[in-house]
Amino acid sequence: MTALEETYEEKLQLAAPAECWKKLSSHYFWCGVVELVAAAAIGISLGVFVFLLLNNKDAMPWLNSMKVDLTTVRTAILLLIMTSAFGYVVHFLGRMSISSFHLSRDYSERYQLTCVYLAMKRDASDGKSENVKSVVYQSLFSRSDTGLLKGDHAMKMPTVTELIKPKES
């Protein structure tokens, strides 16, 4: 009876975070979809713009002539800057989309891990779930890695051998 009461109390403690993780997973998934669609739309429109600009002989007569003066250089530099800026925006939105999908997966895994932990806690006998509890709590409440920064790493999870080996007294 005591074990059931403890399991119920832990369920109540983890129910709110689990629901929050479920909502965050959905939120970040849809943010990733919007960012990916925006990146694709900007990338395609940039490609079409450059294609049409280069194929229209009347729009840029300096492409056909070898004459170099201030207007041709200025136009080429302006076109290069504009293309680079749009390329940077597409790259940025792609990175943000990948980050959002990564966070969505992370929160979805946390939600599933909470459900699995509660099921294991319900079925485990007294004292045998302490090692599992520490591992689950460590992974549930660790910092989320967005994947945007090169040095952005979440907490290191213990390996299987560390989990299996007996604790030294």
Side-chain angles (χ1 to χ4, degrees), residues 1 48 55 83 89:
M1 186 68 160
V48 168
N55 279 337
T83 306
V89 169

Side-chain angles (χ1 to χ4, degrees), residues 6 25-26 49 56 62 72 87 118 123 126 136 139 143 147-148 151-152 160:
E6 288 176 9
S25 174
S26 176
F49 172 74
N56 187 357
W62 55 271
T72 59
L118 290 174
D123 296 338
D126 292 332
V136 170
S139 63
R143 191 171 62 88
L148 286 177
D152 192 15
V160 175

